[in-house]
Amino acid sequence: MFVLPTFSLGVVGSPIVPPFNVTIRDTEANILASTPSLSAGEAGIAFGTDTNDFYVYDGSAWYIFNNDS
Amino acid sequence: MPTTIPTTTSSTRPGSPSAGDAYFETDTKNYIIYDGANWRGYVSDGVAGVSNSFSGSFDGSNDYVDCGSISSMSGVSAQTLSVWFKPAVAGEIPNIGWWSSSTTSYGWSSSGSIQTFNAKNGVNESFDVASSVPNDTEWHNYVAVFDGGSVAIYIDGSSVLTGTASNTTLATSPATFRIGQFGTVSLYEAGLYDEISLWDAALDSSDVLALYNNGTPIDLSSAAGGYDKQADLTHWWRIGDHASDTGSGGSPANGDTISNVENAANSGTNDGTGTNGPTFSTSVPS
């Protein structure tokens, strides 16, 4: 029989999921000046610390997704 | 190592995705996430724009920038013209191009309710875009593509007109090309003009959409997104943002009279000279 893991207080625990972490966090100028090394079929992402915008690099250009909040 | 996400295209999205699957679409440049039933798209706001501090302000009475005769468009079968324009009067289009006669001209002409693109070579015909012109005083990008007689007109990256001209090539011996005035005809249009550019090639819809870039001009000398015609760029008047552009006070400054605006694609060829007092403005498309 499968038993859910519990803590000492008897609360059902949630599985631990590692956070999705954006490793490139820099100013927009530095992000736009960089050219991440990518494998085929993937795009790189970054977060602008001065703009709070989100950036995706497709191998040729950075695409900007503006912070709307 | 950068954090990465997988890529796909709008026509090759996974057939059996799981809720939460996310991709970057390389053709649309959108970020997509599957919600368990549908793909949800997040539209890119574009690529970083080119450094841009100045445009040119024209009074619509007699101001223009004279760029001389553009020999590279003489008799060619393909040509593209792009101009960013912010009209002083809502619903107007730029006056820009060259004119030899009623049957021989090239460019945008605005005369009252008649707003046309012209690529005339022996026949008095033009392409009327009046019904598609935005009725406001905001910045807009106007692109006209001539391709062996086919004409495609785009405003802000969207196709608004396609047609066929009688001629398959542009006229030879182009007359002087002017910004703010339709050649030497007494047709001027008041407003701000910026990032005027010519290619000796036909840009396609992907190029044009990338040029628009959600309202922010891009660096035309480099490929970006769907734009890959940088090798065909022959003229690019940046109006105050090229290194050698000058005004009445030397380096360009807001309100200074335009003296010289170089062709950033080929300095020394068809550099423009301000005439009758157009001025630099710090209002730019963005």
Side-chain angles (χ1 to χ4, degrees), chain B residues 178-201:
Chain B
R178 290 182 175 176
I179 301 166
Q181 181 183 12
F182 183 47
T184 53
V185 180
S186 186
L187 290 177
Y188 303 86
E189 191 59 57
L192 305 179
Y193 294 66
D194 202 11
E195 308 300 322
I196 299 104
S197 43
L198 289 165
W199 294 259
D200 58 0

Side-chain angles (χ1 to χ4, degrees), chain A residues 16 34 39 59:
Chain A
I16 298 173
S34 66
S39 300

Side-chain angles (χ1 to χ4, degrees), chain B residues 15 27 30 63 94 106 129 132 173 196 200 226 243 254 259 274:
Chain B
D27 55 341
N30 293 343
D63 288 359
Y106 176 84
V129 298
S132 302
S173 302
I196 299 104
D200 58 0
N254 190 37
S259 300

Side-chain angles (χ1 to χ4, degrees), chain A:
Chain A
M1 181 175 117
F2 179 73
V3 178
L4 290 171
T6 60
F7 294 103
S8 59
L9 295 177
V11 178
V12 175
S14 299
I16 298 173
V17 178
F20 181 75
N21 185 270
V22 179
T23 57
I24 298 180
R25 301 181 300 277
D26 208 334
T27 62
E28 179 179 76
N30 287 339
I31 291 170
L32 299 180
S34 66
T35 54
S37 178
L38 301 169
S39 300
E42 64 181 19
I45 62 177
F47 177 76
T49 54
D50 55 343
T51 61
N52 294 326
D53 290 341
F54 182 64
Y55 302 80
V56 177
Y57 185 72
D58 72 348
S60 64
W62 283 101
Y63 288 86
I64 303 171
F65 293 75
N66 291 333
N67 168 39
D68 299 316
S69 63

Side-chain angles (χ1 to χ4, degrees), chain B residues 133-226:
Chain B
V133 177
N135 188 29
D136 59 39
T137 56
E138 303 301 317
W139 280 104
H140 295 287
N141 181 222
Y142 291 84
V143 176
V145 180
F146 179 85
D147 186 13
S150 297
V151 172
I153 305 297
Y154 302 83
I155 300 177
D156 294 341
S158 297
S159 174
V160 298
L161 183 151
T162 57
T164 303
S166 300
N167 48 301
T168 57
T169 61
L170 298 181
T172 57
S173 302
T176 188
F177 185 96
R178 290 182 175 176
I179 301 166
Q181 181 183 12
F182 183 47
T184 53
V185 180
S186 186
L187 290 177
Y188 303 86
E189 191 59 57
L192 305 179
Y193 294 66
D194 202 11
E195 308 300 322
I196 299 104
S197 43
L198 289 165
W199 294 259
D200 58 0
L203 271 61
D204 59 29
S205 58
S206 295
D207 291 310
V208 175
L209 187 59
L211 287 190
Y212 176 56
N213 192 35
N214 286 315
T216 301
I218 64 171
D219 181 355
L220 302 177
S221 65
S222 301

